[in-house]
Amino acid sequence: MSTSTIAAPRAATEGARAADASAPALEVAGVSLAFGGVTALTGVDLKVAEGEIFSVIGPNGAGKSSLINVVSGLYRPNAGCVLIGRKSFAAVPAAALASLGVARTFQNLALFNGLDVAGNVAMGLAHQDRTGLFGQIVGSPGARAEEARSLVTEILAFIELTAIADRAPGTLPYGVRKRVELARALVSRPKLLLLDEPMAGMNAAEKADMVRFVRAARDRWGATVVLIEHDIGVVMEISDRIAVLDHGRKIADGAPAEVRDDKGVIDAYLGVAHDDDEIPLELAGAA
Amino acid sequence: MADVAFRLAAPSRRLTSGAVAGALVLASAYLLPPLVGSTYLFEAILLPFLALSLAGLGLNLLTGYAGQLSLGSAAFMAVGAYAAFNFDLRVPGLPFVGSLILGGLSAAAVGLAFGLPSLRLRGFYLAVSTLAAQFFVQWALNKFDWFSNGSASGVVRAPDIVLAGHVIDGPVERYLFALTVVVAATLFAVRLANSQTGRNFIAVRDNETAARIVGVPVLRTKLVAFAVSSFIIGVAGALWSFAYLRTIEPAGFNLDRSFQILFIVIIGGLASIRGAFFGAALIVVLPLALSRLGQAAFGGAFDSGVLELSQRVLLGALIIAFLIAEPKGLVALADRARARALRPFLKPPYGG
Ligand SMILES: Nc1ncnc2c1ncn2[C@@H]1O[C@H](COP(=O)(O)OP(=O)(O)OP(=O)(O)O)[C@@H](O)[C@H]1O
Ligand SMILES: [Mg+2]
């Protein structure tokens, strides 16, 4: 079903970005989520236009990861719905996510340690495999396997992982593993890319690389990006728009400059966050 | 770009050196024992080794690769053995290989049924639920003597293995037959482990959530693992009964056997095709070596009771030692030893 999203070159992204009024790539409407007595999200609305880099910020426990987990189908919201492209879901089917053209990374690394780096990246194409078990055992790798291999090679070169393609992820530094996970998400050329703190635990140089990759994902392949990030400098630099969550509610949504000057945001988040900016990074690095 | 070329060339180079090693092992397995082997070698060592290796191979696909812990291996062996017996007995004109495959398929069906809890249960809880297979199959074999063609004890003599009119007779021929079955199953397992399904096994084992998100059909993958694993274990059970013991008896497929297969996989090396063979070799040779050593050291005092006990103690100690010191098993030890031996001949980038 999704082969066309891989083979066909994407429509010019410039056009898509200009046409903000067209159907959003992602819409979250009135989503609420609670775990027992703990409310994680309360009536959150979001509209992410195609080709946008859309950041979600907020203090620890604000509900950012929960939001991405709802969008990727890991959590089922108690109320509201999620629109991906033109399809609306009360609960997004996680198993069909990749086929919907959505890929994500996780706040805590979620690599397959028994596969090498190239194998991990290739798993990003797992949803395309249609060969039955029998065909896999007796058949020879077909044209599709060739195509998959060249996609993996290309993305490894792009994310600058070629030299370590056959290393086990467990032997790599944390920042490099984060890049492997990004490569796994990018290899299928997703229409929508959900990144949960991809730069956590990285030094400035590594972050700059990551910023470059995320930008390229949008500019080259037209991906729409939803980014959770604690580093306000990075967020301000890279985002087209920013939403701010606090205690599960969206308290602001707009262009970087608007959000930066928003009184509520300054009170709730930025003023505080600036001082302990390092803390979440430390925590994530230790995880 | 040079790196890319290297990377793309590497698997095929690894493949050819692996193929050469495999061909050497194969040639010696087919040629050496028939030339030099005694009946004792075949009956006491090689035949049980082959059957247990095959069972270990099957369990390793499920537990080592797909990460689903099972304590039901002996039950699936029993299903394979008794089903092959019944197909052989009740379907006139069915060639033995047909009975063997149908025996494996029957084990796959039972394995699939007892694999269903894996869709909800994990780890320890799944292992306990696979115990149900163990108790259910043993109960069914004792309760319904139809399975053993009316034998009250459930014990039956295994019919001869007949291939294209030729009766497989004597230890050497039974060995060659079992070896051929094991080789075919091993080739299948190697292909499987290197296929998308094999990588899906590993993905589900390492991170089920991430596997689901990238579009691995998690539930189907688990069930395929149970079915394929049980198929191979079922064929192993048939080999155990037809080629090695030449009787089929429920007692040989008890919980002890399930644990034995699990130990083979743990000691040999999880998620490794060779691991099952290494582990089975150790499990088969250990009691024999121990008995020789004990006799030599303590003479008559080292009777079968002491042997049994010391064997269990040593095995237990080995398992704990491996789990702590080398969770990747004998395979990892062997690889390290080989790397050390080859190091002087290799240039730095490959020697590390
Ligand atoms: N699986 C879960 N079970 C129970 N509570 C959860 C679960 N996931 C999230 N929560 C709770 O929901 C709230 C929001 O958590 P979430 O992880 O979404 O925050 P976050 O904004 O991503 O924080 P951080 O910046 O620390 O990653 C927290 O109170 C958290 O404890
Ligand atoms: Mg989070």
Side-chain angles (χ1 to χ4, degrees):
Chain A
M1 320 178 240
S2 61
T3 27
S4 63
T5 63
I6 293 96
R10 197 159 298 287
T13 47
E14 309 308 321
R17 286 175 68 192
D20 261 1
S22 70
L26 170 69
E27 187 171 348
V28 172
V31 161
S32 296
L33 174 73
F35 299 98
V38 183
T39 17
L41 297 168
T42 311
V44 173
D45 297 304
L46 288 179
K47 259 187 196 156
V48 183
E50 211 174 298
E52 214 170 30
I53 295 180
F54 187 104
S55 290
V56 178
I57 62 173
N60 292 119
K64 306 178 296 293
S65 294
S66 299
L67 180 66
I68 284 209
N69 287 344
V70 165
V71 171
S72 55
L74 295 181
Y75 293 164
R76 183 191 178 91
N78 303 98
C81 69
V82 176
L83 279 94
I84 296 173
R86 299 189 187 287
K87 296 204 178 85
S88 169
F89 303 98
V92 177
L97 195 72
S99 309
L100 287 167
V102 184
R104 67 165 289 176
T105 64
F106 294 81
Q107 179 168 356
N108 298 312
L109 284 168
L111 291 172
F112 308 120
N113 288 321
L115 298 172
D116 63 12
V117 166
N120 269 277
V121 175
M123 281 310 290
L125 299 167
H127 63 286
Q128 293 174 15
D129 191 79
R130 295 276 177 279
T131 326
L133 181 59
F134 186 75
Q136 292 176 23
I137 302 291
V138 300
S140 61
R144 172 165 273 159
E146 274 312 310
E147 189 186 311
R149 189 198 289 263
S150 81
L151 279 172
V152 171
T153 309
E154 184 188 342
I155 213 79
L156 284 172
F158 172 64
I159 308 278
E160 294 156 24
L161 295 169
T162 306
I164 53 161
D166 50 10
R167 290 275 294 276
T171 66
L172 300 170
Y174 186 81
V176 179
R177 286 193 245 176
K178 281 281 201 193
R179 255 160 60 186
V180 176
E181 221 186 298
L182 178 67
R184 182 178 71 192
L186 282 178
V187 72
S188 61
R189 306 279 165 82
K191 284 185 270 196
L192 178 61
L193 186 60
L194 312 170
L195 305 174
D196 194 348
E197 303 198 19
M199 296 155 207
M202 289 186 165
N203 63 32
E206 289 176 317
K207 279 186 189 176
D209 284 337
M210 214 61 174
V211 166
R212 192 156 50 83
F213 299 142
V214 171
R215 278 223 176 95
R218 189 266 307 273
D219 295 340
R220 278 212 213 171
W221 296 312
T224 303
V225 181
V226 176
L227 172 72
I228 297 179
E229 184 47 52
H230 277 291
D231 185 325
I232 296 302
V234 168
V235 169
M236 290 296 160
E237 176 194 343
I238 199 176
S239 312
D240 297 310
R241 267 181 339 122
I242 300 171
V244 186
L245 289 185
D246 189 28
H247 294 296
R249 290 173 194 278
K250 189 176 82 172
I251 58 167
D253 186 345
E258 293 172 66
V259 168
R260 191 178 43 210
D261 300 337
D262 187 289
K263 183 81 173 64
V265 174
I266 294 169
D267 289 350
Y269 180 68
L270 287 182
V272 194
H274 200 73
D275 296 332
D276 51 29
D277 206 359
E278 290 307 306
I279 295 167
L281 299 185
E282 298 287 327
L283 286 175
Chain B
M1 244 19 230
D3 277 325
V4 179
F6 164 73
R7 159 78 195 156
L8 294 180
S12 64
R13 196 187 51 200
R14 223 179 302 149
L15 212 69
T16 44
S17 81
V20 168
L24 280 176
V25 170
L26 254 183
S28 35
Y30 271 103
L31 298 175
L32 281 187
L35 280 178
V36 302
S38 60
T39 304
Y40 176 81
L41 178 73
F42 290 106
E43 298 283 14
I45 299 181
L46 292 177
L47 282 165
F49 163 73
L50 283 176
L52 290 176
S53 299
L54 190 58
L57 184 71
L59 182 65
N60 216 347
L61 290 175
L62 180 68
T63 301
Y65 284 88
Q68 310 297 306
L69 190 51
S70 160
L71 291 177
S73 306
F76 305 138
M77 285 177 85
V79 172
Y82 278 93
F85 169 73
N86 279 290
F87 281 114
D88 190 73
L89 179 76
R90 297 172 203 278
V91 184
L94 182 67
F96 180 76
V97 172
S99 302
L100 192 64
I101 291 173
L102 287 168
L105 289 176
S106 307
V110 174
L112 201 60
F114 282 96
L116 287 173
S118 73
L119 307 184
R120 300 298 297 272
L121 301 178
R122 248 166 256 231
F124 175 72
Y125 296 96
L126 176 63
V128 170
S129 89
T130 58
L131 273 180
Q134 191 59 50
F135 295 125
F136 175 79
V137 168
Q138 282 205 303
W139 168 81
L141 290 176
N142 285 321
K143 174 90 182 160
F144 307 105
D145 61 8
W146 181 87
F147 290 117
S148 50
N149 197 27
S151 156
S153 61
V155 181
V156 275
R157 211 188 73 81
D160 287 333
I161 301 171
V162 183
L163 281 188
H166 173 77
V167 177
I168 301 288
D169 193 25
V172 177
E173 289 195 1
R174 277 185 280 119
Y175 165 75
L176 291 175
F177 174 75
L179 179 63
T180 306
V181 172
V182 170
V183 167
T186 305
L187 287 179
F188 170 84
V190 169
R191 290 286 292 188
L192 178 71
N194 291 311
S195 72
Q196 181 65 45
T197 301
R199 290 189 291 275
N200 288 355
F201 282 4
I202 293 174
V204 166
R205 175 196 72 191
D206 285 351
N207 197 313
E208 201 175 309
T209 303
R212 191 144 45 101
I213 288 293
V214 296
V216 171
V218 172
L219 304 187
R220 205 186 70 192
T221 300
K222 286 183 180 177
L223 292 181
V224 166
F226 266 97
V228 170
S229 157
S230 308
F231 176 86
I232 293 179
I233 294 175
V235 172
L239 282 190
W240 178 266
S241 299
F242 283 78
Y244 167 48
L245 287 183
R246 281 175 296 157
T247 54
I248 315 171
E249 48 180 30
F253 300 121
N254 57 11
L255 188 57
D256 277 2
R257 180 80 55 217
S258 287
F259 273 112
Q260 188 183 43
I261 311 294
L262 184 63
F263 294 161
I264 284 174
V265 173
I266 291 174
I267 292 177
L270 286 162
S272 151
I273 299 288
R274 286 173 302 155
F277 293 90
F278 285 34
L282 188 103
I283 289 275
V284 170
V285 170
L286 185 74
L288 302 174
L290 207 59
S291 138
R292 291 271 160 104
L293 268 173
Q295 298 282 346
F298 305 105
F302 201 82
D303 59 19
S304 65
V306 181
L307 172 65
E308 177 81 19
L309 188 70
S310 53
Q311 188 186 317
R312 279 171 187 261
V313 170
L314 187 61
L315 196 61
L318 268 178
I319 287 161
I320 294 172
F322 269 106
L323 285 177
I324 293 174
E326 187 46 272
K328 289 180 179 151
L330 286 169
V331 166
L333 289 183
D335 282 349
R336 226 165 320 126
R338 190 183 55 181
R340 207 168 305 134
L342 289 178
R343 191 169 302 155
F345 306 103
L346 295 174
K347 291 194 179 70
Y350 305 108

